[in-house]
């Protein structure tokens, strides 16, 4: 009993301190002409999230609904006051028009300025700030154009065909189709794509289920481990201390593993003059300052594809070159994005195709027409881009189940917010703008009957009805997701190859409707997504 009290007292003291701290922070909004969530209420809802009583998506949507007539409202937070931005026009002002006031993301995991050591995450494009971010974005941007995706498409196609063959062989060896959990299936596919495209190595995560690349990636992505949760809390509350201690979000073992892969790959290619159409080759060019923006041919783009801004198109000065550790960091962030967000998109898309058989059948018809237009040859990047219904289906999956439920921007200097209709006040430097992507996507004002999976929302005749600033699966403005083309290419290619050979069928374990897992961040399902791959009759 005494021992229990020894632990309980400091925990209660911390909880009380945090509550009082949030309550004090809540007073920041007292002189603002906007509503604000009371400190007690936001503390209670945050506690519910931390205790895993609610999913992150539902937490965002519930907060979004608190003030339905407000364009923006305040939310107290442990570090900086947060502005919850509901209005699409204000979102566009913050994300695009007045971007110079909101250049950075909220510093969640430390930064280069905070670190006395070479923490890998701090060097990623996601974590970089100010001019360092601008230089890195401009350096990397030419690697993600349509022409570069076209060069890498063959590598993605190889991963797709190998996956199809694996499941065809499985059907033959086991005497019939099998049930599979989609997150596991698509995580392995995304892992193999990133391995070949970003790290320049070949792995087969379906046949060799515990290969080193996959297992190290899985450990790196295990954000629910107690040690990682403690690190996240530390970076939120005392980022300078975490940086001074040289702590990184990633474990030293995984940092070393991925660093050595890149070092060895670069060493081998330099020594033997090896050129391969992948991200390593592009980063090697960027590292030498030799990767520049070139005039692109006009291409058909998916609706969800985000455009590169002038920040990304600017030419980097000669003196800005990429260090080895910066190069490794970009490969790692590509890995994290591909490992989780692409596999998440595919998981929910597979579920929707399974339970909406009419959509699956219509998409299969388009796939057959595309295959016929190719004369039986392999799928090409340009052919994927021309698949209109495929783009509608993927766009709707990204609306209903956005892999990134929110984004944010840090106010880097005092900003006068003015909606032109009487709302005018100053957002001080250091405050945060929270952009609730999933809530906008589920607002019936913008997407009628929002819980229904309806690809027709994105038909050519209906696209014009979608209000700008309400559909943001890859973020908004210059700080949007640099890899939208790559992600969409990866998703569409696999769906093409899999539906060509299999139908997606429900099983007794297919949860309808899907329920989300109650967790602090991200989006995953309560019980997994189970689908049977049934071979089509030839």
């Amino acid at each position: 009993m005494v021992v229990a009290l020894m632990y309980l007292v400091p925990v209660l003291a911390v909880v009380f301190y945090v509550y009082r701290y949030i309550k004090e922070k809540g007073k920041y909004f007292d002189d603002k002409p906007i509503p604000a969530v009371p400190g007690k209420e936001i503390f209670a809802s945050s506690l519910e999230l931390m205790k895993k009583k609610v999913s992150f998506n539902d937490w965002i949507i519930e907060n979004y609904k608190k003030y339905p007539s407000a364009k923006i409202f305040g939310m107290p937070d442990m570090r900086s006051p947060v502005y919850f931005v509901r209005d699409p026009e204000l979102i566009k002002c913050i994300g695009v028009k007045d971007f110079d006031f909101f250049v950075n993301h909220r510093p969640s995991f430390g930064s280069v300025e905070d670190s006395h050591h070479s923490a890998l995450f701090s060097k990623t494009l996601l974590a970089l700030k100010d001019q360092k971010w601008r230089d890195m974005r401009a350096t990397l941007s030419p690697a993600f154009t349509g022409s570069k995706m076209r060069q890498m498409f063959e590598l993605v196609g190889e991963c797709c065909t190998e996956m199809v063959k694996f499941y065809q062989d499985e059907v033959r060896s086991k005497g019939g189709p099998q049930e599979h959990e989609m997150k596991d299936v698509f995580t392995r596919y995304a892992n193999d794509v990133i391995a070949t495209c970003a790290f320049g190595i070949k792995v087969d995560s379906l046949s060799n289920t515990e290969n080193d690349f996959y297992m190290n990636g899985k450990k790196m992505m295990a954000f629910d481990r107690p040690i990682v949760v403690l690190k996240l809390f530390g970076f939120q509350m005392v980022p300078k201390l975490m940086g001074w201690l040289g702590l990184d979000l990633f474990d030293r073992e995984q940092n070393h593993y991925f660093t050595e892969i890149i070092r060895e790959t670069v060493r081998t290619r330099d020594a033997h003059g090896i050129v391969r159409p992948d991200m390593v080759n592009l980063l090697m060019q960027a590292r030498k300052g030799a990767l520049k923006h070139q005039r692109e041919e006009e291409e058909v783009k998916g609706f969800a594809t985000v455009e590169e801004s002038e920040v990304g198109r600017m030419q980097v000065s000669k003196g800005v070159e990429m260090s080895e550790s910066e190069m490794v960091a970009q490969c790692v962030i590509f890995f994290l994005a591909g490992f989780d967000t692409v596999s998440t998109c595919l998981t929910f898309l597979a579920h929707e195709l399974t339970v909406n058989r009419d959509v699956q059948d219509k998409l299969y018809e388009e796939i057959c027409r595309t295959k016929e237009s190719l004369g039986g040859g392999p799928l090409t990047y340009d052919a994927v881009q021309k698949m209109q219904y495929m783009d509608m289906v993927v766009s709707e999956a990204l609306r209903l189940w956005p892999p990134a439920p929110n984004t944010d921007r840090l106010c880097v200097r005092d900003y006068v917010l003015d909606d032109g209709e009487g709302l005018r006040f100053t957002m001080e430097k250091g405050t945060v703008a929270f952009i609730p992507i999933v809530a906008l996507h589920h607002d019936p004002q913008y997407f009628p009957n929002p819980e229904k999976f309806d690809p027709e929302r994105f038909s050519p005749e209906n696209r014009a009805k979608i209000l700008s600033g309400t559909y943001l699966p890859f973020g908004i403005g210059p700080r949007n997701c640099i890899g939208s083309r790559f992600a969409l290419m990866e998703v569409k290619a696999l769906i093409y190859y899999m539906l060509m050979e299999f139908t997606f069928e429900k099983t007794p374990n297919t949860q309808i409707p899907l329920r989300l897992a109650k967790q602090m961040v991200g989006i995953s399902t309560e019980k997994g997504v189970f689908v049977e791959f049934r071979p089509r009759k030839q």
Side-chain angles (χ1 to χ4, degrees):
M1 182 69 177
V2 175
V3 175
L5 282 172
M6 285 174 62
Y7 284 101
L8 184 60
V9 169
V11 169
L12 289 175
V14 169
V15 170
F16 179 72
Y17 168 76
V18 170
Y19 167 66
R20 286 292 300 273
Y21 188 75
I22 290 177
K23 191 175 180 182
E24 286 299 312
K25 287 284 186 181
K27 294 179 181 178
Y28 167 85
F29 297 103
D30 287 353
D31 65 345
K32 305 293 181 187
I34 59 173
V37 180
K40 183 177 180 181
E41 189 178 325
I42 191 63
F43 179 74
S45 69
S46 295
L47 200 58
E48 290 290 286
L49 193 61
M50 292 170 68
K51 290 164 63 179
K52 300 183 178 180
K53 298 289 186 182
V54 64
S55 73
F56 189 47
N57 273 22
D58 289 340
W59 185 84
I60 294 172
I61 292 170
E62 285 169 13
N63 278 288
Y64 179 84
K65 290 178 178 178
K66 285 186 191 302
Y67 304 101
S69 60
K71 293 183 175 182
I72 184 171
F73 63 87
M75 287 180 69
D77 189 72
M78 287 183 287
R79 285 190 64 199
S80 305
V82 173
Y83 289 94
F84 196 108
V85 192
R86 299 180 79 258
D87 180 63
E89 289 303 316
L90 290 184
I91 289 172
K92 287 191 291 183
C93 283
I94 289 168
V96 184
K97 180 174 173 284
D98 298 320
F99 174 72
D100 285 345
F101 289 86
F102 300 92
V103 176
N104 302 329
H105 280 305
R106 184 182 193 178
S108 299
F109 309 126
S111 67
V112 174
E113 288 82 357
D114 297 330
S115 180
H116 286 212
H117 302 265
S118 55
L120 193 63
F121 190 87
S122 69
K123 293 181 175 65
T124 64
L125 187 62
L126 184 64
L128 289 174
K129 298 196 277 190
D130 304 317
Q131 192 59 42
K132 288 182 180 178
W133 170 79
R134 290 177 185 272
D135 289 340
M136 185 61 75
R137 179 81 184 208
T139 300
L140 294 176
S141 178
F144 289 91
T145 58
S147 62
K148 299 300 188 297
M149 295 303 102
R150 199 173 282 110
Q151 291 172 20
M152 276 190 277
F153 189 77
E154 185 178 339
L155 299 176
V156 175
E158 287 173 5
C159 292
C160 294
T161 54
E162 286 168 6
M163 182 169 169
V164 167
K165 185 178 184 305
F166 175 86
Y167 288 112
Q168 286 174 329
D169 291 344
E170 181 189 68
V171 169
R172 283 191 287 269
S173 65
K174 294 188 177 180
Q178 305 294 309
E179 173 189 76
H180 296 282
E181 202 288 303
M182 294 296 96
K183 182 65 173 177
D184 179 67
V185 167
F186 295 130
T187 297
R188 294 180 183 281
Y189 162 73
N191 179 77
D192 291 0
V193 170
I194 294 298
T196 188
C197 289
F199 286 82
I201 63 172
K202 188 85 169 168
V203 295
D204 183 352
S205 300
L206 290 167
S207 298
N208 183 9
T209 56
E210 296 189 1
N211 66 80
D212 287 345
F213 192 89
Y214 179 75
M215 297 307 291
N216 276 283
K218 220 173 170 192
K219 287 176 187 173
M220 188 174 269
M221 287 300 299
F223 292 125
D224 56 346
R225 288 180 296 155
I227 184 65
V228 179
V229 173
L230 283 172
K231 284 182 182 180
L232 289 170
F233 188 76
F235 280 123
Q236 282 285 340
M237 297 301 295
V238 285
K240 289 188 181 297
L241 175 62
M242 298 291 282
W244 185 82
L245 292 172
L247 294 173
D248 196 358
L249 182 63
F250 307 133
D251 289 349
R252 188 175 300 174
E253 180 187 349
Q254 280 74 58
N255 281 0
H256 177 74
Y257 175 79
F258 288 112
T259 298
E260 284 306 305
I261 287 178
I262 294 297
R263 279 181 180 163
E264 182 58 34
T265 301
V266 171
R267 209 160 30 228
T268 303
R269 292 189 185 187
D270 278 339
H272 301 285
I274 297 171
V275 176
R276 189 172 182 265
D278 59 15
M279 197 60 66
V280 174
N281 183 59
L282 294 172
L283 289 175
M284 286 172 70
Q285 292 180 45
R287 189 179 172 191
K288 298 169 184 172
L291 193 61
K292 303 292 183 185
H293 259 290
Q294 297 175 336
R295 191 165 193 153
E296 290 279 310
E297 293 179 20
E298 198 65 34
E299 64 165 324
V300 179
K301 293 183 288 288
F303 184 79
T305 308
V306 288
E307 290 297 327
E308 189 56 270
S309 70
E310 288 306 312
V311 173
R313 290 195 184 99
M314 74 179 187
Q315 296 300 332
V316 183
S317 62
K318 259 188 173 180
V320 179
E321 294 184 3
M322 198 184 305
S323 69
E324 181 186 72
S325 60
E326 287 172 334
M327 183 175 171
V328 173
Q330 306 328 311
C331 285
V332 166
I333 203 66
F334 300 157
F335 173 81
L336 294 178
F339 196 89
D340 188 62
T341 57
V342 168
S343 59
T344 296
C345 175
L346 280 164
T347 296
F348 286 97
L349 175 53
H351 173 80
E352 294 299 344
L353 291 172
T354 301
V355 300
N356 295 280
R357 189 53 186 264
D358 57 329
V359 175
Q360 183 181 161
D361 291 344
K362 187 172 179 180
L363 181 55
Y364 174 66
E365 290 172 7
E366 183 182 57
I367 288 170
C368 290
R369 291 195 300 272
T370 301
K371 184 177 182 180
E372 187 177 348
S373 72
L374 293 165
L379 184 64
T380 65
Y381 178 76
D382 292 318
V384 169
Q385 297 300 85
K386 292 174 184 174
M387 294 179 70
Q388 192 175 94
Y389 194 66
M390 174 75 83
D391 190 62
M392 291 162 57
V393 169
V394 173
S395 297
E396 174 66 348
L398 288 168
R399 181 201 66 82
L400 190 57
W401 307 104
N406 74 286
T407 188
D408 59 51
R409 297 292 185 271
L410 181 71
C411 188
V412 297
R413 49 196 171 100
D414 288 359
Y415 172 72
V416 178
L417 183 144
D418 188 344
D419 73 344
E421 298 177 358
L423 179 64
R424 181 183 170 89
F425 65 92
T426 299
M427 294 174 65
E428 279 80 17
K429 176 182 177 180
T431 57
V432 175
F434 182 95
I435 301 173
I437 294 170
V438 68
L440 292 163
H441 287 193
H442 285 251
D443 190 332
Q445 179 183 354
Y446 308 126
F447 299 97
N449 196 5
E451 303 307 315
K452 178 179 171 59
F453 183 76
D454 182 12
E456 294 303 321
R457 300 179 201 272
F458 296 91
S459 66
E461 55 271 23
N462 287 332
R463 288 179 175 185
K465 300 175 187 174
I466 297 173
L467 186 65
S468 175
T470 63
Y471 181 69
L472 307 169
F474 292 104
I476 186 170
R479 197 121 198 185
N480 59 29
C481 174
I482 197 171
S484 66
R485 278 181 174 81
F486 187 89
L488 291 169
M489 168 180 76
E490 198 176 339
V491 168
K492 292 176 181 179
L494 185 63
I495 293 298
Y496 172 94
Y497 278 104
M498 287 297 287
L499 282 188
M500 179 61 71
E501 301 298 334
F502 302 97
T503 58
F504 292 176
E505 304 289 345
K506 289 181 280 190
T507 79
N509 290 318
T510 303
Q511 189 182 58
I512 304 174
L514 273 183
R515 289 191 292 272
L516 295 180
K518 295 170 181 176
Q519 58 190 35
M520 277 186 67
V521 293
I523 169 175
S524 62
T525 59
E526 188 179 70
K527 296 182 178 179
V529 173
F530 291 91
V531 173
E532 179 188 281
F533 296 148
R534 187 175 299 172
R536 294 185 183 275
K537 293 179 181 178
Q538 299 300 321

